[in-house]
Amino acid sequence: MSSPSGDALQSAVESNHGGKATFVQFVPVREMSGSQTVWDGVVHVFDLKGSSSGAFRAYAWPCGQGDGPGDGKREIFTILHSPLVFSPVLAVRASIMAGAR
């Protein structure tokens, strides 16, 4: 299964957080726990204007393989920039930590 396009990620940011998202860059991220890779992928960074959250930036990336039970679609994660999540790496870490709860 192919990865969602940048347009799909942009649409997910706008749908989840409101406002208009403009692509800025993509950043490769590899998150390790000891010697094991926990997550390895590319995070898309978007500037965000007009969001009711007041955030000026958002991070988005696809996750999952699309080969498990269900409809086979990859999930798209979106996280707003905040004082605690101010980089693509921290956005991925926040997502991993939220999933561990």
Side-chain angles (χ1 to χ4, degrees):
M1 164 162 270
S2 64
S3 176
S5 71
D7 288 344
L9 296 172
Q10 179 180 353
S11 292
V13 167
E14 292 173 351
S15 174
N16 291 338
H17 305 295
K20 173 68 177 150
T22 304
F23 176 77
V24 175
Q25 66 178 342
F26 55 82
V27 178
V29 174
R30 176 177 287 162
E31 190 61 24
M32 305 289 290
S33 178
S35 62
Q36 286 210 325
T37 301
V38 177
W39 191 84
D40 188 10
V42 175
V43 176
H44 293 235
V45 180
F46 295 91
D47 279 344
L48 192 58
K49 291 188 180 183
S51 172
S52 61
S53 71
F56 67 90
R57 180 154 287 165
Y59 309 100
W61 63 93
C63 192
Q65 299 303 316
D67 56 1
D71 60 5
K73 292 182 181 177
R74 296 183 90 173
E75 189 171 359
I76 295 177
F77 286 88
T78 64
I79 294 185
L80 292 173
H81 182 95
S82 72
L84 297 176
V85 179
F86 51 86
S87 72
V89 170
L90 292 175
V92 169
R93 285 183 188 162
S95 172
I96 291 168
M97 294 304 293
R101 293 181 189 172

